[in-house]
Amino acid sequence: MRYIDEFCDPGLAKRLVESINRLSDKEIVLMEVCGTHTMAIFKHGIKKLLAPSIRLVSGPGCPVCVTAAQDIDVARWISRQKDVIFTTFGDMIRVPGGASSLERQKGQEGADIRVVYSILDALDIARNNPTKRVVFFGIGFETTAPSIASGIQLASKQGLDNFFVYSCHKLIPPAMKALLESGEVKIDGFICPGHVSTIIGAKPYEFIAEQYHIPCVITGFEPLDILQAILMLVKARESGQVGVEIQYTRAVKHEGNVVAQRILAEVFEPIDAVWRGIGVIPDSGLKIRQEYSRFDALLQFEMPEMSDKSDLSNLSDCICGLILRGIAIPTDCPLFKTVCNTENPVGACMVSLEGTCAAYYKYSP
Amino acid sequence: MCLGIPVKIMKISDSLAVVEIGGVKRQASLALVEDVRVGDYVILHAGFAIQKVDEDDARESLRLLEEIGICDI
Ligand code: SF4
């Protein structure tokens, strides 16, 4: 078994679609929280297969898209400091900050900015460049944060004293709570992120079922996974049995990945964080704990007061913020396809491979 | 960015594994997983194995999927 092709079987997909469509007479709005789901839904044309009564809306689940403009400005500032090598995941490099992006920075001011695939690559760079300060841009949700925590522990064990992390990690359940509390979008069910849940398990979503009476299904990324999750959500709505179910059982255990959770908690603690277009969400970010604070880039560099602490991403006509909150779709944006495209992205939702605007751009006619 | 893909473990030394992705070999850290062996599949994300893929659960899912289709029609 290769765990991909088996979950793409067109015959089974057709039967699932028929089952879903037969059951759905009332309108039902399902939010896929995760950007990888958004991409998969578009790639496989899932929206077109479903009855019009089933509406799929995209949520804030793309770590690149929700990184606040001021955090990018801080990253740009760090990258300009003396003897710094700034390392980042590839998607982050083109995301616009308040004034510029890392990519433009790289071109203009000779800053040494390098794209890495893993924090382990950044550690190698630090080892090979002992006279430089190597900073890693910590972006990602619960899926990614444990690997960053593990990298920091490795740096600590190996006594690397020229390695630092600028942590802008974000946590998914607090963002889901903020969406529900805002009351801006009606949601009848959540397609919960598969790989975030690989780490955190099912429990952190239970409050959604209990307090808001909204069913949650933790879902894998192949077409059959997504269709099965939609069927489970439609059935949960029909029966009124609202809970947290795991569709993606092959990679998600109820308790999650306990080893990763432990490492994450050893290195990081929750902190309030600013989400692009959404604002501050309590306890939705991760700060490096005291024990590992010598790896915290924020303490290593004497950062000047950034001119504006507010979220600068609302300056242009870009409506990423509304899209991330599920209350607008890319075609509502006046810049979509006219000025903004994947070659020349205006907002973060077009830059990231998993951004909703990029998905619409790539896959809609 | 949360992209994770199932990959097969080809070799293990300490907490590093060699995995295969579409015929290409790559290194992956095993720091976040326990009890994985050569031949197992893991979900690979940003250079780390984040979970072992459970073959029994995968088979059970496929069996249930077959059933959904048949029973409902
Ligand atoms: S189309 Fe471009 S400008 Fe409009 S919301 Fe999306 S990213 Fe922003």
Side-chain angles (χ1 to χ4, degrees):
Chain A
M1 190 166 329
R2 293 181 53 239
Y3 305 101
I4 295 179
D5 324 355
E6 299 89 348
F7 292 89
C8 296
D9 184 288
L12 281 179
K14 192 159 167 270
R15 295 211 305 244
L16 269 170
V17 168
E18 283 162 4
S19 304
I20 295 168
N21 289 347
R22 209 173 16 236
L23 269 179
S24 331
D25 41 1
K26 290 193 283 293
E27 186 186 81
I28 175 165
V29 181
L30 306 178
M31 175 177 271
E32 87 272 357
V33 179
C34 168
T36 315
H37 279 142
T38 304
M39 253 320 166
I41 286 166
F42 274 92
K43 188 170 157 203
H44 301 295
I46 288 179
K47 280 191 186 187
K48 288 188 213 118
L49 300 175
L50 299 173
S53 56
I54 302 175
R55 278 185 45 216
L56 299 180
V57 296
S58 308
C62 153
V64 174
C65 306
V66 299
T67 301
Q70 71 256 38
D71 292 336
I72 309 238
D73 290 339
V74 170
R76 284 180 39 242
W77 183 87
I78 295 175
S79 75
R80 286 199 303 268
Q81 301 314 297
K82 201 165 167 283
D83 293 330
V84 162
I85 301 177
F86 194 84
T87 58
T88 171
F89 290 132
D91 314 28
M92 272 325 286
I93 200 155
R94 291 170 67 206
V95 179
S100 183
S101 64
L102 283 165
E103 188 175 51
R104 263 179 262 157
Q105 183 85 58
K106 194 175 164 187
Q108 280 170 11
E109 295 176 50
D112 192 347
I113 299 174
R114 303 188 193 179
V115 170
V116 292
Y117 164 69
S118 159
I119 191 169
L120 300 177
D121 302 338
L123 290 171
D124 281 342
I125 295 174
R127 246 175 258 121
N128 296 334
N129 294 275
T131 58
K132 302 274 187 177
R133 295 184 287 180
V134 175
V135 181
F136 179 78
F137 198 2
I139 298 290
F141 294 134
E142 291 92 332
T143 324
T144 319
S147 69
I148 310 308
S150 176
I152 291 174
Q153 287 189 334
L154 201 61
S156 170
K157 226 192 301 172
Q158 298 178 343
L160 266 183
D161 57 8
N162 64 331
F163 178 75
F164 310 95
V165 171
Y166 175 38
S167 172
C168 290
H169 295 286
K170 305 260 185 309
L171 303 173
I172 283 290
M176 293 169 79
K177 186 176 165 76
L179 273 185
L180 292 169
E181 284 297 314
S182 78
E184 288 174 328
V185 51
K186 171 183 165 290
I187 300 166
D188 299 308
F190 277 112
I191 297 173
C192 292
H195 292 140
V196 162
S197 311
T198 291
I199 304 295
I200 67 177
K203 212 167 176 332
Y205 305 106
E206 278 170 2
F207 76 94
I208 297 174
E210 281 158 17
Q211 293 169 30
Y212 300 91
H213 309 288
I214 298 174
C216 296
V217 174
I218 295 169
T219 309
F221 298 95
E222 303 309 327
L224 292 186
D225 293 321
I226 296 171
L227 289 170
Q228 188 183 16
I230 293 171
L231 181 61
M232 288 162 82
L233 287 166
V234 170
K235 281 186 172 166
R237 275 261 88 110
E238 286 283 306
S239 68
Q241 280 177 342
V242 169
V244 181
E245 292 181 272
I246 304 174
Q247 178 281 327
Y248 194 30
T249 49
R250 61 190 184 280
V252 178
K253 304 295 154 224
H254 188 266
E255 69 283 6
N257 178 339
V258 189
V259 177
Q261 288 168 19
R262 177 176 47 78
I263 293 173
L264 181 72
E266 281 167 5
V267 176
F268 290 114
E269 60 189 329
I271 184 179
D272 297 352
V274 181
W275 293 55
R276 182 182 284 250
I278 299 178
V280 178
I281 302 179
D283 286 336
S284 68
L286 290 174
K287 172 182 186 287
I288 298 176
R289 280 187 191 277
Q290 182 71 40
E291 297 91 294
Y292 292 97
S293 58
R294 69 188 171 96
F295 298 103
D296 191 339
L298 282 178
L299 303 176
Q300 167 69 17
F301 295 90
E302 258 185 52
M303 217 81 69
E305 228 0 71
M306 289 288 160
S307 54
D308 188 353
K309 286 275 177 205
S310 66
D311 186 4
L312 297 163
S313 51
N314 290 332
L315 278 183
S316 74
D317 286 336
C318 171
I319 58 164
C320 269
L322 300 178
I323 293 170
L324 291 166
R325 271 141 60 199
I327 42 186
I329 56 172
T331 46
D332 297 334
C333 172
L335 306 184
F336 181 69
K337 279 192 179 172
T338 54
V339 182
C340 182
N341 54 53
T342 45
E343 292 298 304
N344 287 299
V346 174
C349 304
M350 188 63 94
V351 173
S352 166
L353 290 174
E354 285 137 42
T356 308
C357 294
Y360 267 73
Y361 188 80
K362 211 163 149 200
Y363 294 109
S364 59
Chain B
M1 243 207 63
C2 288
L3 202 65
I5 36 170
V7 296
K8 190 172 179 179
I9 298 197
M10 312 301 286
K11 225 161 84 184
I12 298 180
S13 48
D14 296 327
S15 66
L16 272 187
V18 176
V19 297
E20 198 196 270
I21 314 170
V24 182
K25 294 206 166 56
R26 255 206 134 108
Q27 277 208 329
S29 167
L30 299 178
L32 304 176
V33 288
E34 277 174 334
D35 299 331
V36 288
R37 294 193 193 135
V38 171
D40 285 346
Y41 273 79
V42 291
I43 302 286
L44 179 72
H45 170 74
F48 284 70
I50 58 167
Q51 182 69 279
K52 186 168 142 174
V53 185
D54 193 312
E55 182 166 352
D56 294 341
D57 282 327
R59 289 197 192 287
E60 176 65 9
S61 292
L62 287 171
R63 196 186 61 75
L64 284 175
L65 280 168
E66 298 265 356
E67 254 173 31
I68 290 172
I70 293 161
C71 295
D72 288 1
I73 284 175

